[in-house]
Amino acid sequence: MLRDKNIAMSSATRRKILFTLHLWLGLGAGLYFVMMGVTGSILVLRDPIDHALNRKLSTVDAPANATKLPLDTVAERFRATYPGVTPSAIALPGKSTDALVFAYNKPGTQGRDGRREAFLNPYTGAILGDRPAGGTAMPWVLQLHRALLLRDTGEAIVAYGGLVITALVLSGLMVWWPATTANIKQFRNRMTVKWDGTAKRKAFDLHNAIGFYSAGLLLVIALTGASHYFRSQTTAIVSALTGTPMVASQGGPGGAGAGGDRGGRGRGRNGEDRTGSPRGLNTQVSTQVSYDALIATAKRVHPELDVLAISTGRGRRRGPAAGGSYSVTVGQRVYEGVRPRLITINCDAHGVIQNTETPWTAPAGIQVMGWLMPIHYGEWGPGAAFWVVKGLHVLAGLAPLALFITGVMMFAQKRRARAENAARRIRDSQPATDLEVAGV
């Protein structure tokens, strides 16, 4: 009997420690958790949001019975407007009302500040507008999400912040788990909300239910996000688990989209143009190949897939000799930008195919590394489930806000109850005054 009592006391003590840890982690890192969740939800829907906010740039009126100009003709209009500039990438329109997007580096600039994109009408070749790559809003949200707008210092904070979020979610699950696991009713009560209960009960139930249903996905998001910052450690772990030899410092497995950058429209992971052109690359090429010929070549090789983009410059994986001077990205339109589901056809300066990169035929470890960031951003759903998965990630990103609000409500209610109980004990311990005795 004494041993059972000691075990019960030990279990109660452990739960109290976990509860205290969860409470102070939530209060200390709660607002940070909320900020990461909300900005993450925005980035998951980055493209639709950017499209909606910039319709004058990204959409055109499709004339009845009109045909689009050859891409080479539109490219000549671009060069006439931007003399001496070779586009680093061209994103092809998916809908009849979508504009063509020409990514380029502003002459005399390097790095992120010099990357821009021009929007052109595919029917007339007219320039619709020009802006920094990704616009202004989405790159700002991205830098807030991944570095708190503090560059290297912010990245270090976010890297370890992801571990704090992981601890917060795990401690919450441990506190949520019923003490008596054999009691099915306890599990059911912690997964539902008693809407006709008191405000205190509803806050408690909401916190438990939201935490339970979002915990799994939040853990996946936190861990895949941390993998971006702890790159060498993640690579070593994946290499050991899959038996795939990999260089820990590599920036991404074969250009399969393993990086963590999610800038604005036209941007991809590892700071690449979403169409595949590496950042900071001199994209001038000695021979101008017909873009239309490149599209025709890609369609001949993969007639079942859409041609999504063309990028210029050396090959992303093997250098100029093997990779060629042009890369054509093909795949299903719904997966645009999801590198592990896209095929890259690398051509030389004359448009002759040099090699084809098919991510799903790469070694297992390379594939795992390539999927980490797409999973982080909710881009792993197959077929029609693609947007369902994105929706779940958006809800998971908003869950920290609901958890923080209900957690603060619970904390405030508990503090108020303690204060009332203390006041009651003080009042009950004092003798009644003569007026109270008289009933006055």
Side-chain angles (χ1 to χ4, degrees):
M1 178 69 72
L2 181 61
R3 184 185 175 196
D4 291 342
K5 184 176 181 181
N6 289 336
I7 292 174
M9 290 176 62
S10 177
S11 176
T13 301
R14 286 197 299 269
R15 291 182 66 83
K16 185 176 181 181
I17 292 173
L18 283 171
F19 176 81
T20 303
L21 173 67
H22 183 71
L23 171 64
W24 291 109
L25 279 176
L27 291 175
L31 288 177
Y32 167 79
F33 195 13
V34 170
M35 184 274 294
M36 294 299 288
V38 172
T39 54
S41 292
I42 293 172
L43 291 172
V44 168
L45 297 177
R46 174 201 63 187
D47 286 343
I49 292 174
D50 183 61
H51 185 81
L53 294 177
N54 299 279
R55 294 189 65 85
K56 291 184 178 180
L57 279 179
S58 58
T59 60
V60 299
D61 293 327
N65 302 321
T67 57
K68 294 178 180 178
L69 293 173
L71 184 56
D72 290 327
T73 302
V74 180
E76 285 301 323
R77 305 281 176 88
F78 171 84
R79 293 189 189 96
T81 306
Y82 302 92
V85 175
T86 297
S88 60
I90 303 173
L92 304 181
K95 300 177 182 177
S96 61
T97 56
D98 286 347
L100 277 163
V101 183
F102 282 64
Y104 69 96
N105 279 27
K106 189 176 179 181
T109 62
Q110 291 184 348
R112 181 181 303 156
D113 295 336
R115 296 200 294 264
R116 299 188 66 83
E117 54 193 12
F119 295 78
L120 285 80
N121 188 318
Y123 299 97
T124 66
I127 305 290
L128 302 175
D130 183 287
R131 72 178 188 180
T136 54
M138 289 303 159
W140 183 87
V141 173
L142 172 67
Q143 290 306 311
L144 178 62
H145 183 76
R146 67 177 299 183
L148 306 179
L149 304 179
L150 299 175
R151 296 187 179 273
D152 293 343
T153 301
E155 287 198 358
I157 295 173
V158 172
Y160 290 100
L163 300 182
V164 172
I165 289 175
T166 301
L168 179 60
V169 176
L170 285 175
S171 62
L173 275 175
M174 293 177 183
V175 171
W176 176 93
W177 195 264
T180 307
T181 57
N183 191 339
I184 301 300
K185 185 177 180 180
Q186 287 191 38
F187 281 97
R188 188 168 58 249
N189 288 341
R190 297 191 180 203
M191 292 187 289
T192 57
V193 180
K194 188 176 177 62
W195 294 107
D196 58 349
T198 63
K200 181 179 179 180
R201 176 59 187 269
K202 283 187 282 191
F204 178 80
D205 286 352
L206 279 169
H207 193 82
N208 275 338
I210 294 171
F212 170 75
Y213 288 112
S214 64
L217 194 49
L218 286 175
L219 280 175
V220 169
I221 293 171
L223 291 174
T224 52
S227 72
H228 170 72
Y229 299 96
F230 298 98
R231 193 74 187 165
S232 59
Q233 295 88 339
T234 303
T235 303
I237 292 171
V238 171
S239 180
L241 292 177
T242 62
T244 306
M246 292 186 291
V247 180
S249 62
Q250 67 185 30
D261 205 346
R262 292 287 295 180
R265 179 182 174 90
R267 307 311 310 168
R269 300 160 186 84
N270 278 337
E272 298 172 345
D273 289 317
R274 202 166 186 193
T275 48
S277 177
R279 61 181 170 185
L281 179 67
N282 181 358
T283 58
Q284 297 291 340
V285 291
S286 58
T287 305
Q288 181 60 52
V289 171
S290 166
Y291 291 129
D292 294 300
L294 289 171
I295 293 174
T297 298
K299 291 299 292 183
R300 186 173 63 252
V301 177
H302 291 285
E304 77 285 4
L305 299 176
D306 298 316
V307 179
L308 305 177
I310 300 172
S311 61
T312 58
R314 64 179 174 82
R316 293 182 301 109
R317 179 185 291 184
R318 302 177 183 86
S325 294
Y326 296 88
S327 295
V328 184
T329 304
V330 298
Q332 296 182 42
R333 179 65 63 175
V334 68
Y335 299 136
E336 184 176 5
V338 187
R339 280 282 161 201
R341 283 191 168 141
L342 303 179
I343 295 174
T344 301
I345 303 171
N346 293 313
C347 303
D348 66 13
H350 303 285
V352 178
I353 296 177
Q354 297 296 290
N355 60 69
T356 300
E357 299 178 23
T358 308
W360 51 87
T361 62
I366 300 295
Q367 292 191 51
V368 171
M369 294 299 293
W371 271 109
L372 290 177
M373 284 300 103
I375 290 173
H376 181 74
Y377 285 106
E379 297 178 330
W380 52 271
F386 184 78
W387 289 103
V388 174
V389 169
K390 273 186 171 285
L392 291 175
H393 273 249
V394 170
L395 292 176
L398 297 177
L401 176 61
L403 290 171
F404 182 72
I405 292 173
T406 53
V408 169
M409 289 174 62
M410 291 164 58
F411 179 73
Q413 289 166 351
K414 192 168 186 177
R415 291 293 296 267
R416 184 164 57 250
R418 284 182 177 178
E420 291 174 352
N421 289 336
R424 188 181 301 111
R425 286 195 298 270
I426 294 173
R427 185 174 62 251
D428 292 344
S429 65
Q430 293 178 348
T433 64
D434 294 338
L435 292 176
E436 289 174 334
V437 171
V440 178

